[in-house]
Structure formats: C-alpha cells, structure tokens
Amino acid sequence: MVLEVFTRRYGRLALIAKGAKRPSSNFRSVLLPMQPLRLSWSGEGEIRTLKSAEWGGGHVMPHGERLLSGYYLNELVMRLMAREDAHPEAFDAYVQAMQALHADSAKWAVSGLRAFELLVLQALGHLPELHQQANGAPLQATGAYRLTAEGGLQPEWDADEQALSGAQWQLLQAALDSAAPFHALQTQWQAWPSPMRAALRKQLNAVLHYHCGMQNLRTRHITHLLQRL
C-alpha cells in the first residue's frame, strides 16, 4: 500500500507499507483513513518505507455525511499542501476539525469545517488580514466587502447577499488572533444567522477552489450528487 500521511513535524508524506495487504500483516487493522497513528519510517527518497504503525487512540472514523466531510478535509490537505512542507498550525486545526466531526451537535461539526478552511488558508499564507482592505485602508463597520483570492477584501458597491460587513470581517480576524482560534471561529460561525454563514461559505469556496486549482472539488461534487438522490 502507498499511503499519504499528514504529520505535524514533517508535513504531508508518502509512505509505502510493504506486505500490508497480506492476511497476516499487522498493518491491515491499523492503516485506516482519518485515524491518529504513531508512525516510524526510513529512507530518503520521495516515497519512504513504513517501519511501524500503532493506533494513537482517540476517535474512530465518522459515519454518514460526516464521513464525506472527513474526506473533504483530506482532499483539501492533498490539494493545498505540498509534500514535506510542514505547517503545524494547519495540522492542529485538522485534528480539531476531525474531533468536531464526532460532536453531538451537527452545527458544531459544520462550524469545524469552516474553522479549518480559514485556519489552513491562514497557515499557508492565502488569507489576507481581515481587519483592513487589500489596499491597507481600514474597513468601515457598516460597509460591505467581499473576499477575493487575488485581491483580498474589496468593497462591494452593489447590493449583494454574498458580501459581509466590515464589522463581521473584523470579528473573524479577532477570532483568528485569539488564543484558541479554532474554538473562537466555531463560536463566531454559530452565532451568525444563516444568510451570513452562507455568504462566508460561498466566498471561502471560491478562494479554496482558486488555490486548489480546481473549479469543483471531488468531495463536494459527490455530496451534491447524493443530495439530489
């Protein structure tokens, strides 16, 4: 088996697990998606050799729609992050997002996805400062602004349901700057009414698609197909 693993210290790595598909292999019951593992490997090439793997404890794989959400998080990691480029903040946000998928509240699980999207964009340098416009001018609390992939926060002169106010962007920046940004972003997201959440989600989708180099992510496409059924 060729594995893609996401580590805090080394970033995303490719490992080969020799003999993993044999019935007698110790790897068979351990190498499952979305699981915290303790791994060791050897080699210096593009694909290293897995030496040992142990389950790290904690959560098991999510189910139903939340399983698709887990695959969505994995697709973002695969599309956005280059191999062997460590981003500890993004790894920590990924762990918290996976934990959020096991929360009793569906709203808490969804807010974990939005928190991860913001934090991974910030960790990779793709998220501008949300307390000011792209040209450095301060935001007006009641002004309307749209987040763009190439130009940062831009004024929205026409009435548009996708724009957020300056005050709302400033609240998001305060959450990002807090001591516990993941939890702060979740709390902020849940406090907003549905139209505001929808507006932020559309803008984040556009920015993520731009940096992923895809018009539509595979997991989002599958989710839409299942919703139609």
Side-chain angles (χ1 to χ4, degrees), residues 72 114 117-118 121 126-128 130 143-156 160-166 168-169 172 189 192 195-211 220:
Y72 169 67
R114 302 290 86 79
E117 290 169 346
L118 284 162
L121 286 172
H126 299 325
L127 188 70
L130 301 180
Y145 302 90
R146 179 194 295 273
L147 179 65
T148 63
E150 295 180 291
L153 286 179
Q154 301 287 350
E156 183 61 61
D160 192 321
E161 63 180 1
Q162 292 188 19
L164 296 177
S165 71
Q168 291 160 353
W169 287 116
L172 285 176
W189 169 268
W192 284 3
M196 291 168 56
R197 293 199 297 263
L200 178 60
R201 182 180 180 183
K202 289 179 181 179
Q203 294 179 65
L204 286 177
N205 283 349
V207 174
L208 287 167
H209 291 163
Y210 175 86
H211 290 292
R220 286 198 180 278

Side-chain angles (χ1 to χ4, degrees), residues 221-229:
H221 178 66
I222 293 172
T223 300
H224 291 159
L225 290 178
L226 291 175
Q227 288 174 343
R228 291 177 184 176
L229 293 175

Side-chain angles (χ1 to χ4, degrees), residues 38 62 74 87 95 97 116 126 131 139-140 142 152 192 222:
R38 296 187 182 93
N74 285 356
H87 292 280
V95 172
F116 175 77
H126 299 325
H131 65 274
L139 300 180
Q140 300 298 318
T142 57
W192 284 3
I222 293 172

Side-chain angles (χ1 to χ4, degrees), residues 1-5 14-18 20-21 47-48 83:
M1 294 176 63
V2 178
L3 314 173
E4 290 284 349
V5 301
L15 305 177
I16 183 169
K18 296 181 178 179
K21 294 183 178 181
I47 301 179
R48 319 292 175 85
R83 283 181 176 167

